[in-house]
Amino acid sequence: MIFIKKLINKAKSKSVENIILVTISAVVDIDRFNNDNLLLNDLLWYKTFSNYQGVEFVDLLKYFSKQKYHEKYYFTCDQHFNLNGAKVVGKIINKKL
């Protein structure tokens, strides 16, 4: 998180006006979030960045944890988004632009 804070501060020092921070959750993160009945407000990165001044924070966990079959958005061989996942993420980010 220190690197992300430094990156945000560097962007602000260069007068970047629209900073969007997108967090990407792996399937195991989503499963743990759902199975342990966690709240977004309990997660360290959410607490740290959701109210970060001048930064639009997009936590994809918020979107994918609501999906009953969230696995369909990821490749089965690793934790990267497949085409379906990329489309959903693209739509979410596009709404923020």
Side-chain angles (χ1 to χ4, degrees):
M1 278 203 276
I2 293 170
F3 176 76
I4 294 171
K5 288 180 182 179
K6 286 182 179 180
L7 188 62
I8 291 169
N9 290 333
K10 183 71 167 179
K12 286 182 176 183
S13 74
K14 300 287 184 183
S15 300
V16 175
E17 294 181 20
N18 298 322
I19 301 170
I20 301 173
L21 175 63
V22 180
T23 59
I24 301 171
S25 301
V27 172
V28 294
D29 298 325
I30 297 169
D31 290 339
R32 188 180 51 143
F33 179 80
N34 288 335
N35 293 337
D36 293 347
N37 295 314
L38 298 174
L39 300 172
L40 282 176
N41 294 342
D42 295 333
L43 304 176
L44 179 60
W45 71 82
Y46 191 84
K47 285 187 229 180
T48 303
F49 296 112
S50 63
N51 294 313
Y52 213 83
Q53 188 108 22
V55 177
E56 175 82 26
F57 180 66
V58 181
D59 189 351
L60 295 179
L61 179 62
K62 181 169 74 174
Y63 298 94
F64 284 101
S65 64
K66 295 176 185 175
Q67 301 290 325
K68 186 170 183 167
Y69 301 106
H70 55 269
E71 298 89 354
K72 70 181 179 182
Y73 298 107
Y74 293 85
F75 286 112
T76 55
C77 61
D78 63 22
Q79 297 296 305
H80 291 91
F81 290 116
N82 60 23
L83 182 59
N84 294 327
K87 286 179 181 179
V88 170
V89 172
K91 288 177 184 176
I92 292 167
I93 294 172
N94 191 45
K95 288 180 183 177
K96 302 293 179 182
L97 299 177

